[in-house]
Amino acid sequence: MDQNIQIHDKLFKLFIPSEYIQDEVQSIADKLMVDYADKNPIFLVVLNGAFMFAADLLKHYTDSCDITFTKLSSYVGTTSVGKVTKQMDILINVSNRHVIIVEDIVDTGLTIEALKLNLFELNPASVEICTLLFKPEAFKGTESPKYQGFVIPNKFVLGYGLDYDERGRNLKDLYQLKE
Ligand code: IMP
């Protein structure tokens, strides 16, 4: 397995190998299965980054559920531009339903805050965040995600759905920017 990879102008080093990711994804799904038993939740997957995490997670979530998607963006290159733009509406009725927002990473938290504000106007029964990665040092929100996979340092990461200028999403392992 390659320990270092070059994407565009930057060098990345192997950070979390696929086997560890898969174990963590399974354990998050196990918790969700317990907490949402008989609740028929809606999984709201935030594109593009969460596509791979969501696909793996939902294979392990074997109870009844709905799955839908939304698209937001706040990143250009390796930095957050601080303003969240909605690029796709939520195309399902969430009224009185339990919603689980599926994110690849919570960094500043601006994306999930914006999404939660949108959702609350639609009267869901509950809203929780499920993220594979959480960067607490960068987080500016008020409430940490309820379901977190890996708590990681404030360094840019890529792979397993996360990109650097649209490259690297297809990597099965996670990589971290090498400085
Ligand atoms: P936030 O709004 O700052 O929490 O950022 C959330 C979004 O920014 C994520 O859904 C990712 O798409 C992107 N993002 C944040 N940190 C990283 C990173 O380290 N690598 C790749 N994308 C990131």
Side-chain angles (χ1 to χ4, degrees), residues 74-75 103-105 107-111 135 156-157 162-163:
S74 67
Y75 253 67
E103 261 284 24
D104 49 353
I105 186 164
D107 183 77
T108 62
L110 290 173
T111 305
K135 287 183 185 167
F156 192 79
V157 291
L162 292 102
D163 72 307

Side-chain angles (χ1 to χ4, degrees), residues 81-133:
V81 291
K83 185 175 174 300
V84 180
T85 325
K86 183 164 77 171
Q87 298 179 340
M88 188 175 147
D89 281 327
I90 298 162
L91 300 171
I92 197 168
N93 185 2
V94 302
S95 173
N96 293 317
R97 299 285 305 274
H98 296 282
V99 180
I100 304 162
I101 298 175
V102 182
E103 261 284 24
D104 49 353
I105 186 164
V106 174
D107 183 77
T108 62
L110 290 173
T111 305
I112 51 164
E113 292 288 318
L115 187 50
K116 279 205 282 188
L117 279 181
N118 280 346
L119 270 175
F120 285 141
E121 285 175 17
L122 307 172
N123 297 314
S126 70
V127 178
E128 295 294 352
I129 311 294
C130 172
T131 183
L132 179 68
L133 303 165

Side-chain angles (χ1 to χ4, degrees), residues 137-168:
E137 292 156 29
F139 188 61
K140 297 192 180 109
T142 46
E143 203 183 328
S144 300
K146 178 160 182 188
Y147 302 93
Q148 310 171 4
F150 302 99
V151 176
I152 62 167
N154 192 9
K155 286 190 182 166
F156 192 79
V157 291
L158 135 151
Y160 198 68
L162 292 102
D163 72 307
Y164 168 42
D165 275 346
E166 297 308 326
R167 287 287 166 85

Side-chain angles (χ1 to χ4, degrees), residues 28-124:
I28 299 170
D30 291 346
K31 279 187 209 126
L32 291 169
M33 291 278 286
V34 173
D35 292 0
Y36 286 86
D38 302 320
K39 286 190 173 161
N40 189 29
I42 297 176
F43 287 93
L44 176 60
V45 181
V46 184
L47 297 173
N48 293 329
F51 83 95
M52 205 176 272
F53 172 45
D56 286 342
L57 181 77
L58 293 167
K59 281 179 231 166
H60 298 299
Y61 190 92
T62 50
D63 277 349
S64 154
C65 65
D66 293 0
I67 302 169
T68 192
F69 301 88
T70 188
K71 188 168 180 179
L72 300 156
S73 74
S74 67
Y75 253 67
V76 175
T78 57
T79 41
S80 169
V81 291
K83 185 175 174 300
V84 180
T85 325
K86 183 164 77 171
Q87 298 179 340
M88 188 175 147
D89 281 327
I90 298 162
L91 300 171
I92 197 168
N93 185 2
V94 302
S95 173
N96 293 317
R97 299 285 305 274
H98 296 282
V99 180
I100 304 162
I101 298 175
V102 182
E103 261 284 24
D104 49 353
I105 186 164
V106 174
D107 183 77
T108 62
L110 290 173
T111 305
I112 51 164
E113 292 288 318
L115 187 50
K116 279 205 282 188
L117 279 181
N118 280 346
L119 270 175
F120 285 141
E121 285 175 17
L122 307 172
N123 297 314

